[in-house]
Amino acid sequence: MTGDGVPVWCFEGPDLWALAGDEAGHALPADMGPWTFKKMLVIGSSDPDEAEALQLIRENGFCCFDPAPTDSKEADI
């Protein structure tokens, strides 16, 4: 843990984004990749979406989600 949050690593796949519990993304599903590392984030459990993501990362090592609809490829996560 870091301060009030937990470090997670953000990856972009062909159709999904993912948060992983390690910087190499070892638990990311290979069949949904290839995965490209984007950035490290610190998320907390006070926000319901972040709390759910942390729970999924604890259970599975990752959490996948659809990218936010934007004009640019990289959403502001």
Side-chain angles (χ1 to χ4, degrees):
M1 267 214 197
T2 314
D4 294 318
V6 177
V8 297
W9 289 264
C10 183
F11 292 84
E12 180 182 14
D15 299 314
L16 296 171
W17 285 70
L19 299 176
D22 69 275
E23 62 188 291
H26 287 110
L28 293 173
D31 62 328
M32 297 173 127
W35 296 100
T36 303
F37 172 76
K38 290 305 205 179
K39 59 186 166 183
M40 190 276 288
L41 305 167
V42 176
I43 63 175
S45 58
S46 60
D47 177 273
D49 290 336
E50 291 182 7
E52 181 180 8
L54 288 173
Q55 182 63 35
L56 289 167
I57 292 168
R58 279 192 287 275
E59 292 172 3
N60 305 303
F62 69 95
C63 169
C64 289
F65 56 96
D66 289 323
T70 65
D71 290 337
S72 71
K73 177 85 171 141
E74 184 172 338
D76 183 24
I77 301 173

